Amino acid sequence: MRRPFTAAALVVPIIFAGGTVVAAPQSALPASVKMTSKAATVDTVMTGAALPKKLAAPGPNDVCNYTDLRSTLRQGSSGSAVEQAQCYLNYAINAGLDEDGDFGPATAAATRQFQRCAEIVVDGRIGAQTWSFLVFWANAADAPFC
């Protein structure tokens, strides 16, 4: 995933023993940070997870069509949004969940497994970040990934 930053916002200080602070030259930056004259781009490299190669856009070709709602879900939630999340988890990581609309312990465990696989915040809840990754991964042509 690429996130553009302006060059002025990206500062990499180096502090010497005497307390002097200087900006690091580009050669001292990690390989994932590429500087250009107009902006810096930080490339996040995923280390253990397979990235989808093709994406089918959500909508009429979406693999799951229970609802378009993307509310925040946690253990104890219920309804069509939970069915949608369970369906996405089944496609994204082959979770084997019953798509019953009940966010119980099995759905929470599958959510944490997916979050670890996707290398995002692992909290067992399905919020904006997890929804985004679920939609992307479940609709990818080469799913499941983990």
Side-chain angles (χ1 to χ4, degrees):
M1 178 160 114
R2 292 180 170 221
R3 294 181 184 227
F5 291 52
T6 60
L10 183 63
V11 178
V12 181
I14 297 177
I15 302 174
F16 293 101
T20 307
V21 178
V22 296
Q26 183 174 350
S27 61
L29 296 175
S32 62
V33 177
K34 297 176 184 167
M35 300 291 290
T36 65
S37 60
K38 295 182 182 179
T41 301
V42 178
D43 293 330
T44 304
V45 179
M46 297 186 69
T47 56
L51 290 173
K53 293 178 181 64
K54 272 186 168 178
L55 175 65
N61 297 327
D62 197 333
V63 295
C64 303
N65 286 307
Y66 289 101
T67 184
D68 290 335
L69 297 175
R70 300 292 185 261
S71 55
T72 300
L73 305 174
R74 60 186 54 86
Q75 195 161 347
S77 297
S78 61
S80 60
V82 175
E83 288 177 302
Q84 185 78 13
Q86 289 168 329
C87 180
Y88 281 151
L89 286 164
N90 286 336
Y91 276 95
I93 62 169
N94 200 20
L97 296 170
D98 290 333
E99 296 170 17
D100 59 4
D102 178 31
F103 199 119
T107 304
T111 300
R112 285 189 295 277
Q113 178 187 354
F114 172 76
Q115 291 168 331
R116 278 190 294 277
C117 177
E119 297 182 0
I120 58 177
V121 174
V122 179
D123 58 7
R125 292 181 289 171
I126 301 177
Q129 182 184 45
T130 303
W131 274 118
S132 176
F133 277 75
L134 273 174
V135 171
F136 185 88
W137 286 34
N139 283 295
D142 47 354
F145 295 98
C146 298

